[in-house]
Amino acid sequence: MFINQHANCKRVSGSQRLFGHSNAVPRAAGAKAGALGWWSNLRSFSLDRFAPSVGGGRLPIQRYLSLALLNRIAFFEFDQLRKLLPAVANKLPTDSLYDQTVGSEPQRNREVLQSWEAVKTLNDSLVADEQSKSLKNCSAAVAKAMTAYEAVQAASIRLDGKSNRNICNRWLKAFNYFATGGT
């Protein structure tokens, strides 16, 4: 979940809310600050972390946070998409960590730099002085992401469950929740 929907990040009674263990746009929902983990399994909240393990020993798949898709896609999906749909790439300096000559797989300890830069860029572009404006910016970004996902589908590229367009509906639901004060 990109926004922890169960937590109300609005400023209440003059207090400030800080978000930890979140991803992408907590500031747009009214938080003073947000944080995300070093490793990919610590960059977003998921109840799956508390479920019994079905396996073990595997490292998480390296991912790329695409601003166009508002989602983290597997490096091999990014490798495929960047060739057919260049708009999926952020065109930020840390994109160079995803070298096409090696299938766009970054060094495991450097992947986080791309996520951090993308989150900062996303927050810089979406967060406004007024929360209502921020939420409108976010909704517009989701509409653009849905258009990008339509291009992915038109190119007959199938993304895995963590990378597909389902995130867009969750985003819209979360933004609506915050825009209406949690009702």
Side-chain angles (χ1 to χ4, degrees), residues 2 5 12 24 39 48 55 69 72 76 93 109 125 135 148 150 155 158 163 167 172 178 183:
F2 276 67
Q5 295 178 36
V12 178
W39 303 109
D48 293 341
L69 298 174
R72 293 173 46 76
F76 50 85
N109 64 347
S125 68
L135 292 171
E150 288 171 9
R158 185 169 179 197
S163 305
I167 191 71
L172 289 174
F178 287 111
T183 58

Side-chain angles (χ1 to χ4, degrees), residues 71 145-147 149-150 153 159 163-169:
N71 204 355
M146 291 175 94
T147 300
Y149 274 111
E150 288 171 9
Q153 186 175 7
L159 302 175
S163 305
N164 67 28
R165 69 181 298 151
N166 293 340
I167 191 71
C168 292
N169 292 329

